Amino acid sequence: MEIKRIAINTGGGDAPGLNAVIRAAVLTAINRGWECYGIRDGYSGLFLPEEYPDGGVVPLTRKTVRGITHLGGTILGTTNRGNPLKYATPDEQGTLVERDYSDKVLQGFRAHGLDALIAVGGDGSLSIASAFHRKGLRVVGVPKTIDNDLEETVITFGFDTAVSFATECLDRLRSTAEAHRRIMVVEVMGRYAGWIALNAGISGTADVILIPEIPYDIARVAETIREVAKRGRHFAIVVVAEGARPRGGTVSVIEREAGRAERLGGIGERMAGQLQELTGKESRAVVLGHLLRGGTPTTFDRLISLRFGAAAVRALAEGHSGVMVALDPPTVRYVPLEQATRRLKVVPPDCDSILTARDLGICFGD
Ligand code: F6P
């Protein structure tokens, strides 16, 4: 069936570059004579229409997407509580239970005359997109996440901006750490993958990098800091991924809630206390958190976002469905959504970046 009208949605945590993807997809579609619509807040605009008095599905025109390439966030809104396959709804007792609203989403698609969907998201949102593809929807995915934890693409958009900002923060923290002879523990996002911590930690010359893929021993971290001090450097920078865990221990969870992924965090503050006790050095914790998700995308992220958005429309025009656009330099190719969402892409403990860090004397707490 010929495509005349497509929808775009953005789901999960926002990432710099989302608006660039939207702009590229909309212009590429309009230039083919297609109409474009945006679904508000993931799929919510379709299956919770009562929450959107001004419309849960909104037209996207040349004018709507003018001047948004450099803007962080997403003009469509997003949510990580909006999984229509497992939407947390209160039962008669007020307890949250997960319900499947996928039929309502599919009805919404038909009611709006939408022929296909471009789903921009991370592993959670793209798994939902893959499920809708299996239910008969024509779908192409675009890999978004600052965590860079999606398989089958060399990189996701948003990651470069997050790493660049984290590196800049490490540079800034270095001077204050040195001035006060302190240990600065810097907690960064990344969920169950250590890509942000690893890349920013190496670039920002950290002494210690702790990532989920390599469980750490706090005594080993303290020993490294003492060794550094013996060499005459009386401050230290420790980068810790929010998903890092001690050997034989568990990840630090802030909260668990029905219908959404667990919220990680808190490890930085705890570690600063432990290191202060073990080394006798004053320690401070800084949580970069959502600062990593905000702001203007880097040139690299803008460019891959624009390339991904345009490629997603080309994929639909070429008759593809159930695929994700993926960076495979020098090109963008299409890979099955199912393959891209099968498992998380985590840091291989023997990869070149880890070897480089070890060669530079960076400690992983192992
Ligand atoms: O997946 C992106 C991400 O920023 C993770 O790095 C982090 O664990 C999570 O989202 C935070 O989600 P929220 O915005 O719900 O706190």
Side-chain angles (χ1 to χ4, degrees):
M1 197 182 67
E2 206 200 330
I3 293 179
K4 291 199 184 79
R5 190 184 272 205
I6 63 165
I8 303 174
N9 72 351
T10 55
D14 68 329
L18 279 169
N19 285 322
V21 173
I22 294 169
R23 178 166 171 269
V26 168
L27 294 183
T28 309
I30 289 175
N31 288 336
R32 280 181 161 68
W34 300 357
E35 276 178 57
C36 239
Y37 286 80
I39 306 170
R40 307 269 304 275
D41 302 339
Y43 295 87
S44 307
L46 271 180
F47 76 98
L48 302 169
E50 60 286 357
E51 293 193 9
Y52 300 88
D54 298 334
V57 178
V58 292
L60 294 174
T61 62
R62 285 184 194 280
K63 198 167 163 205
T64 333
V65 299
R66 191 170 294 153
I68 64 169
T69 301
H70 65 294
L71 299 180
T74 157
I75 59 165
L76 295 176
T78 187
T79 174
N80 46 19
R81 295 164 188 262
N83 181 351
L85 305 166
K86 288 181 179 176
Y87 190 68
T89 319
D91 64 9
E92 293 81 52
Q93 282 77 44
T95 313
L96 287 180
V97 289
E98 293 178 348
R99 294 218 167 98
D100 183 352
Y101 286 85
S102 52
D103 286 342
K104 229 175 150 189
V105 170
L106 293 171
Q107 268 166 29
F109 262 91
R110 282 193 293 272
H112 286 89
L114 298 166
D115 303 315
L117 170 70
I118 294 180
V120 191
D123 66 305
S125 308
L126 294 184
S127 298
I128 299 168
S130 189
F132 278 116
H133 166 69
R134 288 193 297 274
K135 285 174 184 283
L137 207 69
R138 215 167 345 176
V139 186
V140 170
V142 177
K144 164 238 65 166
T145 167
I146 64 162
D147 304 339
N148 195 34
D149 57 0
L150 271 170
E151 284 278 3
E152 300 293 329
T153 182
V154 164
I155 204 164
T156 55
F157 76 83
F159 175 65
D160 184 65
T161 308
V163 170
S164 303
F165 180 71
T167 304
E168 187 192 324
C169 291
L170 294 181
D171 292 346
R172 286 171 184 246
L173 290 168
R174 194 179 176 84
S175 53
T176 171
E178 185 164 17
H180 286 265
R181 296 182 162 218
R182 282 176 174 156
I183 301 172
M184 299 295 308
V185 180
V186 188
E187 179 183 314
V188 297
M189 282 187 169
R191 233 190 272 273
Y192 309 108
W195 296 108
I196 298 177
L198 178 65
N199 286 24
I202 297 175
S203 311
T205 54
D207 300 285
V208 180
I209 300 174
L210 303 174
I211 59 174
E213 295 83 350
I214 306 177
Y216 66 85
D217 173 357
I218 193 75
R220 181 72 200 101
V221 177
E223 196 182 306
T224 300
I225 293 169
R226 280 192 296 264
E227 281 164 14
V228 169
K230 264 194 224 145
R231 293 201 298 268
R233 191 149 73 61
H234 296 284
F235 69 95
I237 304 284
V238 177
V239 178
V240 58
E242 61 179 2
R245 60 190 163 89
R247 207 176 279 165
T250 51
V251 288
S252 180
V253 176
I254 296 180
E255 76 175 332
R256 286 194 179 88
E257 200 187 289
R260 56 168 297 174
E262 58 186 9
R263 262 181 78 204
L264 304 183
I267 191 170
E269 194 62 48
R270 213 177 47 239
M271 179 159 294
Q274 288 173 321
L275 291 177
Q276 181 158 313
E277 211 172 292
L278 289 169
T279 63
K281 279 184 170 298
E282 204 176 15
S283 305
R284 293 285 188 272
V286 177
V287 181
L288 296 186
H290 294 83
L291 289 169
L292 298 174
R293 294 222 309 246
T296 300
T298 57
T299 307
F300 179 86
D301 271 339
R302 283 186 211 192
L303 187 58
I304 57 166
S305 300
L306 294 167
R307 290 173 67 192
F308 281 162
V313 172
R314 288 200 302 271
L316 285 174
E318 289 163 20
H320 295 280
S321 178
V323 297
M324 179 186 87
V325 297
L327 189 68
D328 184 8
T331 193
V332 170
R333 64 185 179 100
Y334 315 136
V335 298
L337 263 175
E338 207 144 321
Q339 219 162 293
T341 53
R342 211 172 21 185
R343 55 166 184 255
L344 288 182
K345 180 178 75 182
V346 294
V347 178
D350 56 353
C351 71
D352 160 72
S353 292
I354 297 269
L355 299 180
T356 302
R358 290 194 195 279
D359 284 337
L360 294 172
I362 296 173
C363 163
F364 286 92
D366 55 344

